[in-house]
Amino acid sequence: MTTSPTAGDGPAVSAPGTSVSSVSHPITLDSPEFVVDPQAHFTWLRTHAPVYRGRVDSSLVDQDVWIVSRYADCKSLLTDDRFPRSPAGGPAIASGMPDHLRLLTESMIYKDSHEHRRLRRLVAKPFTPRAIERLGQRVSELANGLLDDLEARDVVDLRTEFALPVPMTVISEMVGVDEADRERFHRGVQGLFDGMAGPEQEADHDEGAALAEFVRELIERRRSVPGDDLLTGLIQAEEQGERLADDELAAMVFTLITAGYETTYNLITNAVVTLLDHPEQLALLRADPSLMSSAVEEIVRYAGPVQSSEALTAAEDVTWHGRTVPAGSLVLPLLAAANHDPEVFAAPETFDITRGPNHHLGFGHGEHFCLGANLARMEARVALDALLRRNPGLTLAVDREQLTLDPVPMLVRYRSLPVRFG
């Protein structure tokens, strides 16, 4: 077993498309080198250091972190009681968060065992397969309505003008954000995520704080004037005599935003990029639209927007693959690395929309399996179906090399996706 090298042991990672990629150490998960070529880092980690002490250096976290990269280990880690999300004193990540983001740590994402199950039961009803199926027609209306307006244009940024408005509208309607408040809501969400992308700017902080204030206002509004929406349901819901506290309600709305908004529009964006990168697979999908569900699963495995679960914390010293992870350490299962593990997936670097079985970890595993997975899958299927069916000549409007990624820790997010319809 090779232990992790010390800093300065290698040259920076080569640009994509070159014949050799090198990995510099310590691996920093939001460094430009990692963002440019994550697969080179994933391969090195799985092969040489399946348990590795790396770093995260962002506006939220600036510290060492233990990285787990093999499929079997990641899957095991996600159900291991020795690695809770919220140990005594709260999640380790909370200490680096500004006040408006610390609210997230009150959500079920950062709760374990009984507390997690209690919160999840209260919010689960709108995410059942039957409830999601009923939303499909609304998503189709949104997608086709957007295309009606966009297809007359020469060049369209598919990310901001198509992939983003679909989940933004869906989650706004689910939560109960009135149409008059959508722009305010959207600005707050963008400020929240732009602040995560790098050193937080004052404007990002202000927008994120304004979003937290707006969410609390919305809760009070729905208490006074209930609506036919998820937030009203949460306010009125009880589980064994317990209702959600105000911070839990606000945290749940934040969770729905992050899980049902940001990741979904990036999934749609990444899907289009991946299909255009693989024209033979795109042709196969056009010839047989029944492959759409399988194609979405393969996109999640191959180019999913989320590269890791939320951070876990070692509750005790744990020795794994010859490395001892000390109690209190931050630990990240690299789901994207696991999804390319050749021990589990045949030819993992091949994008194959007919792949089966496809037991990827793109939506997590265990009790924290993504509550919104069915919603994200449905939105991606419906949006892609409308886009591809109506535009057989869809192409990039720029050279492929001009597409760039934001250095957001553990999120694959293109800055723009200029396309031409046809």
Side-chain angles (χ1 to χ4, degrees):
M1 177 65 206
T2 304
T3 58
S4 56
T6 57
D9 273 353
V13 66
S14 303
T18 56
S19 58
V20 178
S21 290
S22 299
V23 175
S24 58
H25 301 276
I27 292 172
T28 302
L29 295 177
D30 49 349
S31 67
E33 295 81 8
F34 183 89
V35 171
V36 164
D37 197 355
Q39 290 304 327
H41 292 74
F42 296 159
T43 299
W44 188 92
L45 287 164
R46 286 193 308 266
T47 304
H48 300 290
V51 178
Y52 175 90
R53 188 175 183 178
R55 284 197 59 76
V56 176
D57 183 10
S58 73
S59 60
L60 298 184
V61 181
D62 180 10
Q63 65 183 83
D64 289 351
V65 59
W66 289 85
I67 301 166
V68 177
S69 53
R70 292 179 181 171
Y71 183 97
D73 295 335
C74 286
K75 190 173 181 180
S76 173
L77 179 61
L78 291 170
T79 56
D80 193 326
D81 291 339
R82 296 174 299 175
F83 296 93
R85 293 194 176 199
S86 185
I93 194 173
S95 61
M97 286 183 169
D99 289 342
H100 63 276
L101 287 180
R102 197 171 293 120
L103 185 64
L104 283 169
T105 64
E106 294 295 324
S107 78
M108 63 184 180
I109 287 178
Y110 287 101
K111 301 296 183 182
D112 300 296
S113 303
H114 168 74
E115 271 299 285
H116 172 79
R117 290 191 292 272
R118 178 181 74 88
L119 294 171
R120 190 177 179 106
R121 282 195 297 266
L122 285 167
V123 76
K125 189 174 180 180
F127 296 95
T128 62
R130 181 173 295 180
I132 296 305
E133 184 179 349
R134 288 196 297 267
L135 273 175
Q137 182 58 41
R138 177 58 179 146
V139 175
S140 180
E141 291 171 1
L142 289 169
N144 282 287
L146 288 165
L147 292 171
D148 288 343
D149 294 334
L150 295 173
E151 285 173 346
R153 302 244 307 270
D154 180 34
V155 176
V156 170
D157 182 355
L158 203 70
R159 172 185 178 267
T160 59
E161 298 181 274
F162 178 73
L164 189 152
V166 171
M168 181 184 75
T169 304
V170 169
I171 206 68
S172 296
E173 292 177 352
M174 287 182 71
V175 171
V177 179
D178 296 332
E179 193 164 349
D181 290 322
R182 299 270 170 88
E183 181 58 32
R184 178 184 176 191
F185 181 64
H186 175 61
R187 284 199 312 271
V189 172
Q190 288 305 110
L192 177 72
F193 283 99
D194 289 345
M196 293 179 180
E200 192 173 43
Q201 303 298 313
E202 185 175 349
D204 296 331
H205 180 279
D206 291 346
E207 291 292 356
L211 177 64
E213 181 182 351
F214 171 69
V215 167
R216 293 187 186 280
E217 288 176 12
L218 187 62
I219 291 169
E220 290 308 309
R221 193 184 307 167
R222 284 291 171 264
R223 274 209 176 96
S224 301
V225 185
D228 183 19
D229 55 69
L230 176 57
L231 180 54
T232 297
L234 289 173
I235 291 169
Q236 297 173 345
E238 287 196 47
E239 177 68 22
Q240 298 177 351
E242 293 183 90
R243 289 196 177 191
L244 291 169
D246 281 0
D247 277 354
E248 289 176 328
L249 280 168
M252 193 69 78
V253 175
F254 263 53
T255 299
L256 293 170
I257 291 167
T258 55
Y261 173 102
E262 177 77 10
T263 54
T264 303
Y265 88 79
N266 285 309
L267 173 60
I268 296 169
T269 303
N270 295 3
V272 175
V273 173
T274 304
L275 287 167
L276 291 176
D277 280 346
H278 298 85
E280 75 292 344
Q281 294 294 300
L282 177 54
L284 180 60
L285 181 58
R286 289 190 187 281
D288 185 1
S290 70
L291 289 170
M292 183 62 78
S293 292
S294 177
V296 169
E297 296 304 315
E298 178 67 348
I299 289 160
V300 174
R301 183 199 73 83
Y302 184 86
V306 178
Q307 295 185 315
S308 169
S309 80
E310 300 299 324
L312 310 173
T313 302
E316 59 187 70
D317 290 356
V318 179
T319 300
W320 211 347
H321 292 291
R323 305 301 309 277
T324 297
V325 179
S329 298
L330 212 60
V331 183
L332 280 177
L334 278 189
L335 307 182
N339 286 339
H340 287 253
D341 190 337
E343 294 297 316
V344 178
F345 301 98
E349 303 312 318
T350 298
F351 177 64
D352 178 8
I353 65 170
T354 68
R355 184 182 296 275
N358 192 349
H359 301 305
H360 63 76
L361 299 178
F363 292 114
H365 177 66
E367 70 173 18
H368 281 279
F369 183 82
C370 178
L371 179 65
N374 287 328
L375 178 60
R377 286 165 164 146
M378 182 272 288
E379 289 181 300
R381 286 197 308 267
V382 173
L384 288 171
D385 176 74
L387 177 67
L388 299 179
R389 176 171 38 81
R390 294 176 54 151
N391 294 279
L394 182 72
T395 60
L396 288 178
V398 296
D399 290 339
R400 177 63 175 83
E401 292 73 21
Q402 291 181 255
L403 299 183
T404 57
L405 293 164
D406 282 328
V408 186
M410 299 294 93
L411 188 67
V412 180
R413 185 174 85 175
Y414 286 92
R415 290 182 176 174
S416 65
L417 181 55
V419 301
R420 285 191 170 90
F421 293 124

